[in-house]
Amino acid sequence: MLEEIKRLYAQKAKDDQNAPKGWRWLALIPVVITVVAALVFIPQFRAHQREQHLLEQGQPAVAEIISIRETGNLYNKNPEVEIELRVQPPDAAAFSLEVTKVLEPTELAKYVQGSLVDVRYDPAQPDDVALVGLAKPTAPPAAEPPK
């Protein structure tokens, strides 16, 4: 039995000497690709999940666009913008924050300083805000006809 084990170890050592040098490093390539992909895509996935959660369960509010500026980043030829908002919840004090969003060029033209947008926010974390879209204009109250 001991001789058999010695023979197997000797055979393994001989096989290792005959194996091409550096072949074990090739096994690391899939690991490196997986780690890099996880570092890139997991934060984006979580941000998307957080935004979806806010859109579904966040408290509605109206916000005024204080300023809007392009970051210089493009995603699928759509510009990324930073929008500074002044959020006015219906039952709480107003607060300001900045939201980064990718908008299509046609949408970007509609988002101008001073316009109102609908948002959803988390009252426990007011910095978490999801942009819903432009606020619907409210109709002015109907004037009473003269008597």
Side-chain angles (χ1 to χ4, degrees), residues 2 19 80 91 103 108 111 138:
L2 187 59
E80 179 184 61
D91 56 352
L103 297 173
L108 183 58
Y111 288 84
T138 56

Side-chain angles (χ1 to χ4, degrees), residues 30-87:
V31 173
V32 169
I33 291 172
T34 303
V35 168
V36 169
L39 291 174
V40 170
F41 293 113
I42 287 176
Q44 291 178 351
F45 179 71
R46 286 191 175 157
H48 180 71
Q49 278 186 320
R50 187 176 67 243
E51 183 179 27
Q52 288 297 12
H53 177 74
L54 283 173
L55 289 172
E56 293 169 2
Q57 298 182 6
Q59 298 295 318
V62 175
E64 178 184 2
I65 296 177
I66 304 301
S67 68
I68 184 168
R69 63 190 167 283
E70 292 188 34
T71 64
N73 297 329
L74 292 174
Y75 297 94
N76 294 330
K77 298 183 182 178
N78 296 325
E80 179 184 61
V81 294
E82 291 177 348
I83 307 171
E84 185 180 351
L85 298 172
R86 178 96 175 132
V87 180

Side-chain angles (χ1 to χ4, degrees), residues 11-40:
Q11 182 64 38
K12 180 169 176 4
K14 187 177 178 183
D15 289 346
D16 286 348
Q17 287 175 352
N18 293 335
K21 300 293 184 212
W23 68 271
R24 289 185 179 141
W25 290 105
L26 292 176
L28 287 178
I29 291 174
V31 173
V32 169
I33 291 172
T34 303
V35 168
V36 169
L39 291 174
V40 170

